[in-house]
Amino acid sequence: MEEADQSFISLSDPDITFAELSAVETLLCSPRISNGPVTEAFEQAFASYLGRKYAVAVPSGTLGLLLALKALGIEPGQEVIASSYSMRETVHAIRLAGARTVFADVDYWSGALAPAKVEERITSSTGAIIAGNPNGHPAPWSELRAIAQRHQLPLLEDSTEAIGSRYKGELVGRFGDIAVFDFAQPLALSCGEGGMVVSDDIEVVVGLRRHRAHRLDERSSVVVGSAAPYQAGMSDLTAALGLAQLKRLDDILERRRLIEQLYNGHMQSFEGIKPPYIGPDVTEVNWFLYLVHLGTRFTRSSRDAIVDDLRVEQIEAAAYCHPLHLQRHYFDLGYRRGEFLVTEKIADRAVALPFHAHLTSSQIEFIVETIKDASINVGAGAAIY
């Protein structure tokens, strides 16, 4: 093995170039850095990128989903079906909206909501279904859409981890009645914080904007003033960075795919891990993080020990998911370990490794060799699926 760079290897490192620096410098020298024309330009460019009619910029994916639920009229007492398996805790928006979170189990291979599990959770109180594209892998949108139509429910798409991925040839973000994106680190398109909500329904978009914030020219309007907004707009400073990143998105994703290929090459000799899975209807996956799915002989505690061993070697790693239904915040809803066996099985054994365009081949080799050694140290050995 060639000598690796022993300095700290971070989980993520934004792909920032002179284009982003120049865009921010230009904005800082302008008379307006709050929400204004640059934010509107970012919204229009993002809608155009996806081929959707409207985009509404927000401070985060969680707030974006909250505004979407408000725009749909989701009220306390209603239920919203969602997945417990995700690193991006967008689902908290359901509680923030006052609705009841109803979790459904996921598919073992993709980690996405299992359509049959979703349908069996639908009741007369169900107000919406939220499905995500976990770690960039698209959900089974055709089946989920059929269920939503059969029960006349809005289908929301959480694409916070999946920008650039494609299902049946179409970009994610095009499958939900409303779709939500997030731009915080460690996502591929990163502008520090921020998010975007997209839809083709003008009534939904009017509701989103009404709940988001008042523009300067709306503050004397009685009609607009009838709603108490969350003041959840995006600054032009954030939008300038996001717009520059969006223009470079194809290049950013290509560089990340090269890193993925380097990882895959080194991982081939790592016995007992689940190989990267891409579903039959999935055209392209742009991973959020590089996940290693450990075998069934590994436990949650041995996974955590591996993460600790990596950190000792100055490699930042993380458990991809601490399932939401096991977090204290949801105990008052009655959720306990053992209710969603597939979610728990894959969440307990997923390790997120550093994944960004600035990794070198020697660093990746060092990361993979270190996780192999760590897996031997915990005494789990090879695993069978």
Side-chain angles (χ1 to χ4, degrees), residues 77-121:
Q78 287 188 289
E79 298 174 348
V80 179
I81 298 172
S83 169
S84 175
Y85 181 71
S86 174
M87 190 171 184
R88 309 294 312 173
E89 298 180 341
T90 323
V91 168
H92 289 329
I94 300 170
R95 296 296 303 269
L96 294 173
R100 176 182 172 85
T101 309
V102 175
F103 292 118
D105 215 343
V106 299
D107 173 70
Y108 173 71
W109 292 99
S110 70
L113 274 176
K117 298 293 185 180
V118 170
E119 191 150 31
E120 67 187 26
R121 303 288 279 169

Side-chain angles (χ1 to χ4, degrees), residues 205-251:
V205 171
V206 168
L208 282 166
R209 290 174 176 161
R210 185 173 67 247
H211 288 291
R212 178 181 62 174
H214 292 158
R215 296 198 307 266
L216 286 173
D217 60 354
E218 293 175 332
R219 296 193 176 183
S220 61
S221 167
V222 174
V223 175
V224 173
S226 64
Y230 286 86
Q231 289 305 110
M234 177 183 285
S235 74
D236 268 14
L237 193 58
T238 300
L241 184 52
L243 190 56
Q245 288 259 287
L246 181 61
K247 291 175 180 177
R248 294 185 50 247
L249 183 58
D250 287 345
D251 179 55

